Amino acid sequence: MEKRIYNFSPGPAMLPLPALEEAQRDLLALPGTGMSILEISHRSKKFEEIISTAESNLRTLLKIPADYSVLFLQGGAQLQFAMIPMNFLRNSGKAADYVQAGTWGKTAAAQAKTQGAINIAWDGKDGNYNRMPKTGELKLTTGAAYLHITSNETIQGIQIQSEPQANAPLVCDASSDFLCRPVDVSKYGIYYACAQKNAGPAGVTVVIIRNDLVERSPDDLPNMLSYKVMAKEKSLYNTPPTFCIYMLKLVTDWLLNTIGGLDRMAEINRQKAHMLYEALDQSAGFYQGHAEKESRSLMNVAFRLAKPELDEPFLKQAREQGLAELKGHRSVGGCRASIYNAMPIEGVRLLRDFMNDFAKRNG
Ligand SMILES: *Cc1c(COP(=O)(O)O)cnc(C)c1O
């Protein structure tokens, strides 16, 4: 078999090895069925068991209150950028508040604008999107339809440390820090994440939504865009992405049974992130982090080399050591190490040692 390397991609990203191994072992025939997960009906008893375990794993990990629905939808996080305003902004007579702390928040706001009035509650442009807003900085609309935030800006590598206070329902794109630490779901009206960063392969998006909002979903929407229809049909209105939901079940099995839950996962994630931020801080300016310290992301470490002409040798030599996909997003430049849940601590240690060594050789 080809040797696995450390993949620091922002997404799709590494999956836990035990989840991949179980999928590989059972690919030709799921135990008790004689059929592949790729072949079974989404209405079969076996799939019913898989999707309900995926849901109950998420409910256990995130302590999701009983008055919330857990939906498995398609169209990625970006369909939610449209579906949320279609359900709760269009024809509401209200405006929705959006925080633009980085690229994804800006994209979400631009999509909402196609459906109704929005207000930019905060924009991080002045600081080149290097931090999350502080308490009290948001300019909120009274009677807003909702407040939309992005808990982790994947490209800029900044993450919220606590939820903002708002009277309107809080809606959060948690695509790139889903399941990385415990979160109080009861503070949110909608908490959603595409799977391909931290929860599974590309193709499924988890939407955790309070039931009173589900009920407010208007009746004149096409069924595929209605939270009410999707919740009523328990995500089986049409054929769901069965393989992705199966993988999400295996990843959440791993989080629960091998890692031991989100408190432990958060500890490991803090340890991993600390190693890299320490390497930046101790490099005497050789490496420069993008994020302000109090907004540093546990999941995406964005940094530049003070001498940009060293970018290419840095990336090339890293790749030779099995440290892949470290190039930063074109809009920020430099480098970015995405260290989601499934990135082993050994991979981060190897990267840290490589960074220290590279700085010593080139400083
Ligand atoms: C990756 C990402 C998205 C885009 O997700 P798609 O599934 O490709 O639509 C949106 N928001 C955040 C925060 C992301 O990290």
Side-chain angles (χ1 to χ4, degrees):
M1 189 176 66
E2 174 97 3
K3 183 176 175 292
R4 281 175 65 77
I5 60 173
Y6 293 110
N7 172 7
F8 291 89
S9 165
M14 283 185 92
L15 289 164
L17 192 58
L20 289 174
E21 285 171 338
E22 184 170 337
Q24 182 187 45
R25 194 168 60 239
D26 293 345
L27 187 69
L28 296 188
L30 273 177
T33 71
M35 288 180 271
S36 171
I37 177 64
L38 298 170
E39 301 165 323
I40 64 169
S41 164
H42 59 295
R43 312 253 176 231
S44 64
K45 221 174 141 68
K46 187 68 185 181
F47 188 70
E48 178 56 43
E49 194 183 298
I50 289 167
I51 194 170
S52 68
T53 307
E55 176 175 341
S56 68
N57 283 354
L58 288 172
R59 286 191 180 274
T60 307
L61 284 164
L62 286 163
K63 301 189 172 74
I64 300 173
D67 61 331
Y68 282 72
S69 296
V70 178
L71 308 178
F72 299 101
L73 305 183
Q74 301 189 58
Q78 294 197 65
L79 183 60
Q80 296 309 304
F81 292 176
M83 207 165 148
I84 289 159
M86 285 173 126
N87 279 265
F88 304 115
L89 178 59
R90 193 187 60 117
N91 299 336
S92 69
K94 298 174 177 177
D97 287 335
Y98 275 77
V99 172
Q100 292 190 159
T103 307
W104 289 117
K106 274 199 280 186
T107 310
Q111 288 296 295
K113 227 167 147 176
T114 67
Q115 299 301 310
I118 65 159
N119 161 54
I120 303 304
W122 189 77
D123 189 294
K125 191 168 55 204
D126 289 347
N128 192 21
Y129 301 104
N130 69 350
R131 68 173 179 92
M132 287 292 181
K134 298 186 178 75
T135 329
E137 280 187 313
L138 301 191
K139 294 203 166 50
L140 301 176
T141 313
T142 14
Y146 56 84
L147 165 62
H148 184 281
I149 63 168
T150 310
S151 51
N152 185 73
E153 283 287 359
T154 323
I155 290 172
Q156 285 78 15
I158 57 175
Q159 187 176 25
I160 60 165
Q161 306 309 324
S162 62
E163 291 84 359
Q165 294 288 329
N167 292 322
L170 184 59
V171 175
C172 180
D173 174 6
S175 291
S176 52
D177 67 352
F178 191 52
L179 303 173
C180 87
R181 60 186 179 187
V183 54
D184 183 354
V185 171
S186 73
K187 289 186 173 161
Y188 296 89
I190 306 175
Y191 190 75
Y192 68 97
C194 56
Q196 70 269 22
K197 318 296 168 74
N198 230 357
V204 66
T205 297
V206 177
V207 179
I208 302 168
I209 176 170
R210 215 172 53 218
N211 289 337
D212 64 295
L213 289 169
V214 172
E215 287 312 312
R216 273 167 43 194
S217 177
D219 289 323
D220 63 351
L221 283 175
N223 288 342
M224 285 298 292
L225 299 172
S226 160
Y227 291 115
K228 201 187 282 175
V229 171
M230 289 298 166
K232 184 165 159 278
E233 302 294 332
K234 296 187 171 309
S235 309
L236 297 171
Y237 167 72
N238 74 323
T239 317
T242 45
F243 181 74
C244 300
I245 294 169
Y246 165 74
M247 286 305 302
L248 189 141
K249 179 215 169 262
L250 298 185
V251 171
T252 50
D253 282 345
W254 169 79
L255 272 171
L256 272 174
N257 306 324
T258 307
I259 298 296
L262 295 191
D263 283 312
R264 180 63 190 136
M265 192 70 251
E267 254 174 63
I268 297 169
N269 284 331
R270 279 193 294 267
Q271 226 180 317
K272 289 191 293 185
H274 177 74
M275 271 196 249
L276 297 187
Y277 288 119
E278 194 177 54
L280 302 185
D281 292 342
Q282 295 181 351
S283 73
F286 186 86
Y287 300 110
Q288 295 165 353
H290 178 74
E292 279 196 3
K293 277 191 182 160
E294 67 276 15
S295 291
R296 283 174 164 179
S297 167
L298 290 175
M299 298 282 98
N300 313 95
V301 180
F303 61 95
R304 270 180 295 274
L305 279 71
K307 302 176 190 154
E309 66 274 19
L310 289 176
D311 279 3
E312 224 169 276
F314 176 89
L315 294 169
K316 181 166 174 286
Q317 290 172 35
R319 183 64 185 75
E320 283 161 7
Q321 300 213 9
L323 306 165
E325 307 290 341
L326 285 161
K327 195 170 165 57
H329 190 270
R330 58 191 179 279
S331 63
V332 173
C335 305
R336 172 175 45 161
S338 295
I339 48 173
Y340 299 116
N341 288 351
M343 170 58 69
I345 202 154
E346 296 77 22
V348 177
R349 201 172 285 130
L350 212 62
L351 173 59
R352 189 257 330 256
D353 293 347
F354 168 74
M355 287 171 70
N356 288 340
D357 179 59
F358 187 87
K360 211 182 289 165
R361 286 187 284 113
N362 295 281

